[in-house]
């Protein structure tokens, strides 16, 4: 296992043939409970909130992809959504503790810290973690967690994970990295020193827009024990059917990510060269302020492209209403292309705050359809 590469790990980690039947595919263990020989004497499973074999396979697969191989310290806890994963991380904190969040982040993450955890005494501040000294300026005596999203949603900013880890660890704060946009195929935050990686598995990991889920992976044994305890104590677990969908989707993560990136990079170049477009954000473009850092920190630039049409808000609204292949919808990371305007869709909860996104911003999740068809679709819709 240790010498296996990413593509091989995705297909084999946690997925040995079923010992009972030889089934090549991990069965969907649709059971809530497990018979015991005597009280407490069982085959490792008691109740499916605590553990379920289909979920165990998914957790082993995901942990291995983030560099936590079977037998190593730490592991993965799979959750019922990305926000459930973020909530579990929030429960690591105590009233009076303080969190620094990157000032561009998924709207729901921001809402969880600002409108839910804040009511339970967890203080928070937003900071531009791409700036030199941005984190240092936001630290407080009780800063216990730094929440990094990179690339950020929706402005695709790139945060230097190793640098943030250096500052955070010097004041004994933990670093959690939301790796949803990059996926472990393009970015390995634990290798860069992060304490935890969080995913909305709903996106690229699942890859087919057919299930909502999340995950946290850590290589710290103590943190893993606490998160595993919280997963059972709070209960936001995925059912076995969803665990199966994620296991299946993740097998093809590498090939999908390569194609997402090829298509996104061609689309970013098309948009950048078109006068109907005022501004384009894609970390693979030399014009992107985080390009060099992304090239160093990631092994690819991902499948998300954000841009502002030259005609402002009206142009943005009419563009997203005119595409045929890019469906107007929230979410991202599926094989089909999606398009949206974050300010009045996915990021409404940041309206009027430091995290505000431009009203005429258009975000595209570039799928794996034929790139020429995607470019024609955008070309036509730009009018
Ligand atoms: O939707 P859920 O699985 O709960 O994941 C939340 C989440 C966390 N982190 C990032 C970076 C995300 O993009 C998301 C969900 N985002 C969308 C639904 C969206 O369209 O941006």
């Amino acid at each position: 296992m240790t010498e296996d590469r990413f593509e091989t790990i995705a297909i084999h980690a946690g997925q040995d043939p079923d010992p009972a039947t030889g089934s090549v595919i991990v069965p969907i263990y649709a059971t809530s409970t497990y018979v015991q020989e005597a009280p407490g004497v069982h085959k490792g499973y008691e109740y499916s909130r605590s553990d379920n074999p289909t979920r165990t396979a998914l957790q082993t697969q995901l942990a291995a992809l983030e560099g936590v191989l079977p037998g190593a310290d730490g592991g993965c806890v799979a959750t019922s959504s990305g926000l459930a994963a973020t909530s579990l991380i929030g429960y690591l904190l105590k009233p009076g503790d303080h969190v620094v969040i990157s000032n561009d982040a998924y709207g729901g993450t921001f809402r969880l810290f600002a409108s839910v955890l804040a009511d339970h005494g967890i203080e928070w501040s937003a900071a531009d973690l791409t700036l030199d000294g941005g984190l240092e300026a936001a630290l407080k005596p009780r800063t216990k967690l730094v929440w990094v999203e990179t690339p950020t949603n929706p402005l695709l900013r790139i945060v230097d994970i190793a640098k943030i880890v250096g500052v955070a660890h010097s004041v004994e704060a933990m670093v959690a990295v939301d790796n949803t946009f990059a996926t472990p195929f393009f970015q390995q935050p634990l290798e860069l020193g992060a304490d935890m990686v969080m995913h909305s598995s709903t996106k690229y990991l699942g890859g087919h827009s057919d299930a909502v889920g999340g995950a946290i992976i850590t290589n710290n044994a103590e943190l893993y024990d606490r998160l595993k305890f919280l997963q059972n104590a709070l209960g936001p677990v995925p059912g076995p059917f969803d665990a199966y969908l994620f296991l299946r989707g993740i097998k093809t993560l590498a090939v999908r990510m390569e194609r997402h990136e090829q298509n996104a990079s061609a689309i970013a170049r098309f948009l950048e060269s078109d006068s109907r477009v005022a501004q384009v954000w894609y970390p693979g473009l030399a014009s992107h302020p985080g390009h060099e850092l992304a090239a160093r920190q990631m092994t690819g630039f991902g499948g998300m492209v954000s841009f502002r049409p030259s005609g402002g808000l009206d142009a943005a609204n009419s563009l997203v209403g005119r595409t045929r292949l890019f469906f107007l919808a929230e979410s991202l990371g599926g094989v089909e292309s999606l398009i949206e305007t974050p300010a009045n869709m996915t990021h409404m909860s940041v309206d009027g705050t430091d995290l505000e996104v431009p009203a005429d911003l258009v975000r595209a999740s570039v799928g794996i359809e034929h790139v020429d068809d995607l470019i024609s679709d955008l070309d036509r819709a730009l009018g």
Side-chain angles (χ1 to χ4, degrees):
M1 165 70 78
T2 37
E3 72 276 14
D4 286 341
R5 293 169 180 80
F6 191 94
E7 292 80 350
T8 311
I9 291 174
I11 292 166
H12 291 285
Q15 300 163 81
D16 289 342
D18 179 46
T21 62
S23 166
V24 163
I25 297 304
V26 174
I28 301 171
Y29 285 90
T31 186
S32 59
T33 192
Y34 306 81
V35 74
Q36 306 199 5
E37 285 166 36
V41 181
H42 51 73
K43 296 180 163 60
Y45 293 93
E46 317 177 304
Y47 184 59
S48 278
R49 170 163 36 73
S50 314
D51 273 308
N52 171 284
T54 317
R55 196 173 90 218
T56 303
L58 168 65
Q59 292 174 157
T60 307
Q61 178 198 40
L62 258 178
L65 290 177
E66 290 285 1
V68 183
L69 294 169
D73 277 352
C76 166
V77 295
T79 55
S80 53
S81 69
L83 277 173
T86 310
S87 303
L88 287 194
I89 294 175
Y91 272 95
L92 295 170
L93 305 171
K94 296 194 166 49
D97 287 351
H98 173 250
V99 184
V100 180
I101 313 173
S102 23
N103 72 346
D104 186 47
Y106 171 56
T109 303
F110 168 73
R111 180 179 57 204
L112 177 66
F113 283 106
S115 305
V116 181
L117 294 169
D119 288 345
H120 294 270
I122 314 286
E123 288 181 40
W124 67 279
S125 2
D128 187 346
L129 299 181
T130 65
L131 288 181
D132 270 345
L135 173 57
E136 286 88 333
L139 291 173
K140 293 192 174 174
R142 284 195 64 178
T143 304
K144 290 288 186 296
L145 175 69
V146 181
W147 187 270
V148 175
E149 215 178 84
T150 183
T152 62
N153 180 1
L155 289 169
L156 302 167
R157 293 191 181 134
I158 307 295
V159 177
D160 189 332
I161 297 173
K163 199 163 115 188
I164 293 296
V165 165
V167 177
H169 285 182
S170 73
V171 296
E172 287 172 17
M174 299 178 289
V175 176
V177 176
D178 184 336
N179 207 22
T180 300
F181 273 34
T183 82
F185 186 63
F186 285 141
Q187 181 167 272
Q188 296 270 313
L190 297 180
E191 215 171 81
L192 298 168
D195 301 283
M196 287 168 275
V197 170
M198 172 265 159
H199 280 284
S200 168
S201 316
T202 318
K203 311 298 175 347
Y204 291 106
L205 297 183
H208 296 75
S209 305
D210 53 7
V212 171
I216 308 163
I217 301 99
T218 177
N219 53 10
N220 176 316
E222 219 174 291
L223 262 182
Y224 173 65
D225 286 348
R226 182 71 188 155
L227 288 165
K228 184 107 191 88
F229 169 81
L230 289 171
Q231 179 192 38
N232 184 48
L234 291 163
V237 292
F241 290 93
D242 283 354
Y244 163 77
L245 286 173
F246 291 119
L247 260 173
R248 181 163 81 158
I250 292 167
K251 287 176 204 269
T252 56
L253 181 65
V255 287
R256 284 187 287 108
M257 291 315 292
E258 280 169 358
R259 183 56 64 85
H260 280 295
E261 185 192 32
Q262 273 174 25
N263 286 359
S265 140
I267 284 173
R269 279 184 271 117
F270 159 74
L271 293 170
E272 191 172 50
S273 65
D274 197 299
S275 62
R276 294 166 295 176
V277 175
Q279 198 174 359
V280 183
W281 289 265
Y282 182 65
L285 292 175
S287 59
H288 187 286
H291 175 66
E292 276 172 31
L293 172 58
R296 213 167 53 235
Q297 176 165 278
M298 304 168 72
T299 53
F301 301 109
M304 300 298 296
V305 180
S306 292
F307 61 100
R308 289 173 50 231
S310 306
L313 189 54
D314 288 347
N317 284 333
S318 76
L319 167 72
V320 299
R322 280 207 294 249
T323 49
R324 177 177 67 89
L325 297 175
F326 281 85
F327 295 145
L328 174 59
E330 302 199 359
S331 202
L332 57 112
V335 292
E336 60 286 298
S337 295
L338 302 179
I339 200 158
E340 64 131 4
T341 46
N344 56 10
M345 293 177 68
T346 51
H347 288 69
M348 268 172 80
S349 55
V350 308
D351 197 26
T353 70
D354 283 355
L355 287 86
E356 207 161 350
V357 297
D360 57 351
L361 189 76
V362 175
R363 187 191 75 180
S365 170
V366 179
I368 61 170
E369 300 95 334
H370 197 289
V371 68
D372 294 347
D373 296 334
L374 295 179
I375 291 178
S376 306
D377 193 33
L378 289 173
D379 188 29
R380 224 182 357 249
L382 278 164

